[in-house]
Amino acid sequence: MSATALPPIVDAATWQRQLDALRIREKAVTRELDAVAAQRRRLPMVRMPDYTLEGEEGPVRLADVFGGASQLIVYNHMWFPGETWQCGGCTGFTAQFTRLDVLAGYDARFVVVTQGPIDEALAYRRRVGNTMTWYSTANSPFGTDVGAPPGGGFAVNVFLRDGDAVYRTWHTNGRGTEQLSYTFALIDLLPYGRREEWQDSPEGWPQGPTYGGWASSQDIAALYGADA
């Protein structure tokens, strides 16, 4: 870190004026996010086939993955066959979610689905200390049909259930998943931000390779896993 990598020092009144100017933009972003959410609630939907996934207790229909709720968020976790450590980004992202019961108050559930065989997926879940409910789509076209095929990337999909009928209502991938992450929201509040080379930062600010500060799967396992 450069010795000069410090924000300018000003008096309290100057600091407050600049914070007030920034707050105008922050409030505009909040209103835009509200408008985006309103548009999302007006999206049409697509009926899904009657998929069967594999869960900890055996085969389960997609309609039953909802656990009695009418709404379902699915994180499609990347999977590499034969690898001891799976995607660090997916592992770290899903490690955040340890208090999901609050979704029950909104008639919703949030689960992980991966292309890995269920026994391997559950073993990995334990290894890294993940507390979410996991399912496998290794023997189903579900992952491919929702944008997360074998050997492909991660995704978030949202579904609505009406009786036994399941509909796909929303999908995102890449940086679209950041809105679900509290870690990026916290890091972006810091004076030095994510410290990644692509970010617009003042001259002399500490910056390194993209993903340089991300925890690896091994890091997550050391913090939360079965042997932690």
Side-chain angles (χ1 to χ4, degrees):
M1 181 186 302
S2 169
T4 61
L6 295 170
I9 300 172
V10 298
D11 61 83
T14 300
W15 177 84
Q16 188 64 55
R17 283 196 302 272
Q18 295 202 26
L19 178 64
D20 291 344
L22 175 62
R23 186 59 41 76
I24 293 171
R25 296 186 68 182
E26 290 175 338
K27 292 295 186 181
V29 169
T30 298
R31 289 191 291 272
E32 178 61 16
L33 287 173
D34 287 343
V36 168
Q39 183 175 351
R40 187 182 296 118
R41 289 190 294 272
R42 288 166 172 79
L43 283 174
M45 59 187 185
V46 178
R47 183 161 183 172
M48 305 298 288
D50 189 16
Y51 298 101
T52 296
L53 308 184
E54 296 288 331
E56 194 162 8
E57 303 300 324
V60 57
R61 296 174 60 218
L62 178 60
D64 293 328
V65 173
F66 285 71
S70 68
Q71 300 168 104
L72 177 69
I73 302 169
V74 171
Y75 184 83
N76 296 93
H77 195 296
M78 293 175 68
W79 189 266
F80 302 99
E83 296 293 330
T84 300
W85 300 106
Q86 298 299 327
C87 170
C90 291
T91 303
F93 180 85
T94 56
Q96 300 174 87
F97 302 106
T98 59
R99 298 290 186 271
L100 292 167
D101 292 342
V102 66
L103 290 176
Y106 294 88
D107 192 24
R109 192 184 190 204
F110 187 7
V111 303
V112 170
V113 172
T114 184
Q115 292 283 356
I118 189 60
D119 289 347
E120 294 180 23
L122 293 175
Y124 184 73
R125 172 182 173 241
R126 289 189 293 271
R127 186 179 310 132
V128 297
N130 193 285
T131 63
M132 298 180 73
T133 302
W134 284 46
Y135 295 91
S136 169
T137 186
N139 299 313
S140 163
F142 174 76
T144 298
D145 292 349
V146 298
F154 61 94
V156 173
N157 285 277
V158 180
F159 303 93
L160 180 66
R161 182 180 64 84
D162 182 20
D164 284 338
V166 175
Y167 302 89
R168 188 184 188 199
T169 65
W170 188 74
H171 164 269
T172 195
N173 54 23
R175 293 193 65 195
T177 61
E178 285 188 8
Q179 63 180 293
L180 308 180
S181 169
Y182 72 78
T183 54
F184 287 129
L186 293 176
I187 294 167
D188 285 343
L189 293 178
L190 301 175
Y192 299 131
R194 303 185 197 184
R195 305 184 182 206
E196 296 188 6
E197 56 194 358
W198 61 270
Q199 289 196 294
D200 181 0
S201 296
E203 185 70 28
W205 247 230
Q207 288 184 291
T210 301
Y211 313 126
W214 290 30
S216 68
S217 299
Q218 294 95 318
D219 294 333
I220 298 298
L223 289 170
Y224 309 119
D227 298 325

